[in-house]
Amino acid sequence: MVRQHHDVTLEWPDADRETRTIAVSEDETVLEAAKRADIALPFGCRTGACGTCTGRLLEVDGAEPAAGDDGRSTVGIDGAFSYRRSPRALKDRHRDAGYVLLCIASPRADCRIAVGASVHTELVDNPWK
C-alpha cells in the first residue's frame, strides 16, 4: 500500500510571510508533521477543544479563496481536511470561513495555511495582550 501524503505550506502572517512546506501523510495531523519537521506551532489540548492550534486555510490544490455572495470563503475546507474527532473549538461560521484545528486535522489535498498565534486571535480576543 502506498502511503498518501500532501504538501502543506505553513505561512506565518506576523513573520513577514515566512513559509515552510512539509509533507503530511493522511494518517497524521498537521501538528504532528510540523513537530516531525522541527517546526514549532502553538497548541494546547491536542483534542480540538481549546483552539490554540487554529490555522486559516488560504489555498487548496492551487485555488485561492474567493468571497462568495455571503462574504464567506469559497475554499472547500471540508474536502481539504478530515478530523480525528469533532473540532469542538470551532463554530460552524469559523469552519465556513476556512479555520481548521491543526492538532486533529489531516490533509486530503495540497494546501497553504496561515498559522501562528495571530490566527487564533482572529477568532477570540486575547486577554493577555
Side-chain angles (χ1 to χ4, degrees):
M1 181 174 165
V2 177
R3 186 175 177 166
Q4 181 72 35
H5 77 274
H6 300 282
D7 290 334
V8 176
T9 299
L10 307 172
E11 181 175 307
W12 286 261
D14 295 337
D16 294 329
R17 299 286 184 200
E18 177 185 351
T19 63
R20 295 274 310 268
T21 300
I22 56 175
V24 184
S25 69
E26 290 190 344
D27 63 349
E28 71 181 338
T29 67
V30 175
L31 184 65
E32 291 167 342
K35 182 177 179 182
R36 180 175 39 77
D38 203 23
I39 298 170
L41 294 178
F43 67 93
C45 67
R46 291 183 182 254
T47 64
C50 75
T52 302
C53 65
T54 301
R56 182 171 26 86
L57 188 62
L58 300 172
E59 184 179 286
V60 176
D61 283 333
E64 294 192 24
D69 293 339
D70 60 359
R72 293 180 175 177
S73 170
T74 58
V75 171
I77 196 158
D78 290 331
F81 293 97
S82 68
Y83 280 112
R84 288 184 174 172
R85 58 181 56 95
S86 176
R88 293 178 293 156
L90 296 178
K91 296 180 172 145
D92 287 344
R93 63 185 162 89
H94 296 145
R95 293 183 67 190
D96 290 346
Y99 291 98
V100 58
L101 298 178
L102 303 178
C103 73
I104 58 171
S106 300
R108 293 297 177 259
D110 292 350
C111 56
R112 188 168 56 99
I113 308 167
V115 297
S118 67
V119 177
H120 182 252
T121 59
E122 293 172 8
L123 299 178
V124 295
D125 287 330
N126 182 349
W128 309 111
K129 60 180 178 181

